[in-house]
Amino acid sequence: MPIFAFPIAGAILGLIIGSFLATIIVRWPEGHSAMTGRSRCDQCHQALRPVDMIPVFSYFLRAGKCAYCGGAIKSDHLVIELCAGFIGGLAFFVDPGVGGLLGAIFGWLLVTLAALDAQHHWLPDRLTFLLAVTGLIASLHGGDPDLINRLIGGISGFMALFLIGWGYRQLRGQEGLGGGDPKLLGAIGCWLGWSVLPLVMLGAGLVGLLAVALMRGRGQSVTGQSALPLGSFMAISAFPLWIIQSTMGTTLL
């Protein structure tokens, strides 16, 4: 296959994967499985036909509305599909091979976790565990970071945020971090290695500042008691660091 075809194939695969991820993001918090039953309209519950489930195309074909009840389709579906398509195309552009596929899997899991945390302040342990395990398995492909670096990243990432959260709770008598945040940083460490974790947190802080600025720009009140999705911020900052790390062919620090 010509080298230029890999990013195109990655983007198409990403759009397909994104459609499935969008279903997970909608159904899982409601206690429904995305693995069983036919896809249905979220409002009228009419079973969808194949033409109604073509990623991105079906959304625009139906003008963002259900073909059966005319109800508005959540734009979340479109956004997740486009993000997953972009991640797949970019990963295969950086590494048109097994490394690109692994990077795409990293990105797809991150976008799912980011969406769940942003919408529900929820980082499912099963998904975080899957992220960590696939990161360690990816070390078998070779290259940097190696397995030891990733293992140290997993442990140090978890412990760093766990201790910060514990210390905050002892000093203030209330929770300052969600229980899933240390696990997510540990899982990211299993992909990027321990030395990149400070950059992940720096990037998360910058993304968080941007999010706060946008919220205030829309007139939303943001105080010290406001719950912000740190997991989403870490996930958003982690994938670009994988891109840089893969392009350089070595660890960043």
Side-chain angles (χ1 to χ4, degrees), residues 73-240:
I73 300 173
K74 291 182 179 179
S75 60
D76 298 15
H77 289 269
L78 178 64
V79 171
I80 295 300
E81 288 171 358
L82 289 174
C83 286
F86 176 74
I87 287 170
L90 186 56
F92 276 90
F93 175 78
V94 171
D95 188 344
V98 175
L101 177 60
L102 292 171
I105 291 172
F106 179 48
W108 293 332
L109 289 172
L110 286 174
V111 78
T112 307
L113 285 160
L116 287 170
D117 196 32
Q119 295 181 14
H120 305 284
H121 294 285
W122 182 43
L123 295 169
D125 285 345
R126 280 184 286 177
L127 205 56
T128 307
F129 178 74
L130 179 61
L131 182 68
V133 170
T134 51
L136 298 178
I137 293 174
S139 68
L140 302 177
H141 177 60
D144 291 322
D146 59 24
L147 178 60
I148 299 301
N149 196 324
R150 294 173 190 242
L151 283 171
I152 295 174
I155 296 171
S156 60
F158 171 79
M159 289 304 299
L161 281 191
F162 176 81
L163 290 175
I164 290 173
W166 178 84
Y168 185 92
R169 186 167 58 252
Q170 297 304 309
L171 290 172
R172 301 292 298 274
Q174 61 183 17
E175 296 292 339
L177 283 176
D181 293 327
K183 300 172 189 176
L184 178 57
L185 186 60
I188 291 172
C190 290
W191 275 92
L192 301 180
W194 66 269
S195 62
V196 184
L197 294 179
L199 296 180
V200 173
M201 294 309 298
L202 175 61
L206 294 174
V207 173
L209 288 173
L210 178 60
V212 169
L214 291 174
M215 291 169 67
R216 287 183 171 172
R218 293 196 298 263
Q220 294 178 250
S221 175
V222 182
T223 69
Q225 302 302 314
S226 299
L228 298 175
L230 176 60
S232 298
F233 303 155
M234 292 191 294
I236 291 170
S237 70
F239 185 69

Side-chain angles (χ1 to χ4, degrees), residues 24-39:
I24 290 177
I25 293 165
V26 170
R27 287 189 180 183
W28 200 356
E30 297 176 350
H32 303 305
S33 172
M35 305 298 294
T36 58
R38 294 183 59 183
S39 295

Side-chain angles (χ1 to χ4, degrees), residues 1-11 92:
M1 186 164 63
I3 194 71
F4 67 83
F6 280 91
I8 297 174
F92 276 90

